[in-house]
Amino acid sequence: MPNPYREIFKARGAKGFAAAGFVARMPMAMAPIGIVAMLSQTHGEYWLAGAVSATYALANAFVAPQISRLVDRLGQARIVVPTTVISVLAFVVLVAAANQDWPIWTLFVSALLAAAMPSIPAMVRARWTELFRDRPEMNTAFAFESAADELVYIAGASLSVGLSVALFPEAGMLASTLFLAFGSTAFILQRSTEPRVRPVDQGSRGSAIRLRPVQIITLALIFIGATFATTEVSTVAITKELGQPGAASLVIGVYALGSFVVGIIIGALNLKTPLQIQLAIAIAIIALTTLPLLVADTVPLLALAVFVSGVAISPTFITAFGLIERRVPEAMLTEGVTWVMTGIGIGMALGSFAAGWVVDAFGAQSGFLVSVAAGAIALVIVLLGMRSLATADCDTSACDAAAVPAE
């Protein structure tokens, strides 16, 4: 049996844009924590570091879909070049402001401007879609991208913090900025695989978030994002309470490992089950596997429970993005994918806040109650939306019917 991952990389240009896209997306994980690591050392105030990082992360979550909408309308190169330049320059100013002790407002303004960073994962997936639309290889390509996202979040955050602590406070942010600049440049220079701009027809007008499937999947993934952000926060709190704070990074790494391994396996299979059913099953597994976390009161038990709770994350993302590819007009694909990623980011921010509050109020183990609640809500959302998610593949007439704002 041929290796499905080897097969997708036989496509002309696939290795190049996948490698460049991997490098260019490193700031997704490096920048938010890099800002915290930098400012906490240069200014000694965690509230300031957290506020500037949150300003960047939330602004990017809301700006990125608008940038992706322009990408769909005008093409990747025409939009990515100016937005990346703005983002790189803003990050440089942010680093300089931290190093030179410029006024506090310069930190927030530069963080806001840095949020112009485009969604590289969405554009990489758009290129895979251009290569393998309506072919079995699409599932494998999306599985590879979900695994790549996992690796970025595993390696990026650790690299950013490690550089800042080992070298100098700004080192993590400088590395993140260089990854963005060089990775994006290499990505955009590969014009042969850039998706062609589709004409905007009646079914492709307005924003992708007006489409019911995008609304359902984005809302569900807000709560999925909350489950794994909550798991990370609660893990840190429990390991500290158990007197083994150093075990937190190992446990969190095991969490991502479970998702990575299962995602790779799923990508190698050509499953015939409808994607909306696969999504419901994956989210049901996430919801169910949050329950053992409530009784994991030792580090080994916690590591095991966290590993199990992470196994369905990549399959959830694979099927969610696969549904977006099938339920959104071609002229709105990049924006549709970006909205889903925005949902994940918002969920992580809200989950971290909620888990932190619960831990402070009720104890470390109670933080996992947020995961349980979020997983259950995500499952209810998908089950209630199954009819819309099962709509026939999105041609113009189908999307006209779907493009009705939610009441």
Side-chain angles (χ1 to χ4, degrees):
M1 179 180 175
N3 184 334
Y5 292 99
R6 183 181 296 121
E7 294 301 310
I8 64 171
F9 283 108
K10 288 181 179 179
R12 186 174 182 179
K15 292 179 181 178
F17 76 71
F22 183 86
V23 173
R25 82 181 74 179
M26 287 292 286
M28 288 193 326
M30 294 183 70
I33 192 64
I35 292 173
V36 172
M38 177 177 69
L39 294 180
S40 63
Q41 293 181 77
T42 59
H43 288 66
E45 296 174 298
Y46 280 95
W47 74 266
L48 176 64
V52 174
S53 180
T55 297
Y56 160 75
L58 291 176
N60 181 253
F62 287 101
V63 170
Q66 315 313 319
I67 293 174
S68 291
R69 184 179 177 187
L70 292 174
V71 168
D72 285 327
R73 300 292 185 270
L74 302 174
Q76 292 186 354
R78 291 182 62 183
I79 301 301
V80 173
V81 171
T83 54
T84 300
V85 169
I86 291 171
S87 186
V88 167
L89 291 177
F91 277 132
V92 170
V93 171
L94 178 60
V95 170
N99 181 264
Q100 299 298 315
D101 199 22
W102 290 355
I104 297 299
W105 64 265
T106 61
L107 300 174
F108 287 96
V109 171
S110 55
L112 276 173
L113 292 174
M117 186 175 72
S119 178
I120 295 296
M123 287 183 285
V124 173
R125 285 176 169 90
R127 293 198 181 204
W128 284 119
T129 302
E130 192 80 358
L131 288 176
F132 299 125
R133 191 182 305 277
D134 300 324
R135 291 168 57 185
E137 291 90 342
M138 176 68 73
N139 182 68
T140 304
F142 277 19
F144 172 80
E145 288 306 313
S146 293
D149 288 339
E150 293 285 350
L151 285 177
V152 164
Y153 280 110
I154 293 170
S158 298
L159 178 61
S160 188
V161 173
L163 289 173
S164 293
V165 172
L167 300 179
F168 50 91
E170 302 84 3
M173 283 305 302
L174 285 175
S176 173
T177 304
L178 289 173
F179 280 133
L180 176 61
F182 287 106
S184 297
T185 299
F187 183 75
I188 288 303
L189 286 176
Q190 298 177 65
R191 301 299 298 274
S192 64
T193 53
E194 180 177 349
R196 63 184 179 86
V197 177
R198 263 72 179 184
V200 180
D201 55 30
Q202 184 64 32
S204 306
R205 293 177 182 172
S207 173
I209 198 61
R210 296 177 68 240
L211 300 175
R212 190 76 67 181
V214 178
Q215 293 172 353
I216 293 167
I217 295 172
T218 299
L219 184 59
L221 263 62
I222 286 176
F223 290 96
I224 293 300
T227 63
F228 54 84
T230 299
T231 298
E232 292 175 357
V233 171
S234 300
T235 294
V236 171
I238 289 176
T239 52
K240 183 178 180 181
E241 189 176 84
L242 292 172
Q244 298 176 268
S249 59
L250 175 63
V251 174
I252 292 172
V254 166
Y255 185 49
L257 178 64
S259 174
F260 174 79
V261 170
V262 175
I264 289 292
I265 294 172
I266 292 294
L269 304 175
N270 185 19
L271 300 177
K272 302 299 184 182
T273 307
L275 282 177
Q276 68 274 10
I277 301 296
Q278 293 184 42
L279 179 64
I281 292 172
I283 292 180
I285 293 172
I286 289 177
L288 185 63
T289 54
T290 58
L291 296 174
L293 295 169
L294 297 173
V295 295
D297 54 1
T298 67
V299 170
L301 280 177
L302 180 63
L304 177 61
V306 163
F307 176 85
V308 171
S309 70
V311 297
I313 291 176
S314 275
T316 297
F317 291 168
I318 294 166
T319 52
F321 290 124
L323 279 167
I324 291 294
E325 186 268 329
R326 288 165 175 78
R327 304 296 183 253
V328 172
E330 294 179 9
M332 306 172 88
L333 178 61
T334 308
E335 184 193 354
V337 171
T338 305
W339 273 114
V340 174
M341 301 198 71
T342 293
I344 298 169
I346 292 173
M348 291 182 68
L350 295 177
S352 295
F353 173 79
W357 182 83
V358 171
V359 166
D360 287 339
F362 303 104
Q365 199 77 45
S366 299
F368 287 124
L369 289 170
V370 179
S371 291
V372 174
I377 294 171
L379 179 59
V380 170
I381 290 169
V382 169
L383 291 177
L384 291 176
M386 288 293 282
R387 187 172 180 180
S388 294
L389 295 178
T391 303
D393 286 1
C394 195
D395 57 16
T396 302
S397 60
C399 289
D400 282 342
V404 178
E407 298 178 0

